[in-house]
Amino acid sequence: MYEYGCLDCARQFERLLPMNAADQHIVIVCPFCQSTHVQRRLSLFAAHSRGETSAPAAAATTSGGGCSCSSCGCGSRS
Ligand SMILES: [Zn+2]
């Protein structure tokens, strides 16, 4: 279960994603305004699952700053 916050209507909602969702680029759409400007609020198990993928493709995409979060630490992981 992941928590998301919409950047357009400022609502929060939850989405239940499969285990392998962390390895995929799934577009989450706000159920209220259909906006794709949503920000994932990282949960504990989700943060732990990140970084386990050693695929070069994943490193290339993550370095582009796809996530605009400033508080979840997804852009500054060690
Ligand atoms: Zn929205």
Side-chain angles (χ1 to χ4, degrees), residues 22-25 50-65 77:
D23 298 331
Q24 303 176 6
H25 287 273
R50 291 185 67 90
E52 292 183 358
T53 56
S54 58
T61 51
T62 50
S63 63
R77 58 190 171 89

Side-chain angles (χ1 to χ4, degrees), residues 20-60:
N20 61 352
D23 298 331
Q24 303 176 6
H25 287 273
I26 298 181
V27 178
I28 303 299
V29 180
C30 174
F32 303 103
C33 67
Q34 276 71 48
S35 171
T36 56
H37 296 160
V38 296
Q39 186 177 60
R40 189 168 74 179
R41 307 169 69 84
L42 218 59
S43 56
L44 294 179
F45 63 91
H48 185 70
S49 65
R50 291 185 67 90
E52 292 183 358
T53 56
S54 58

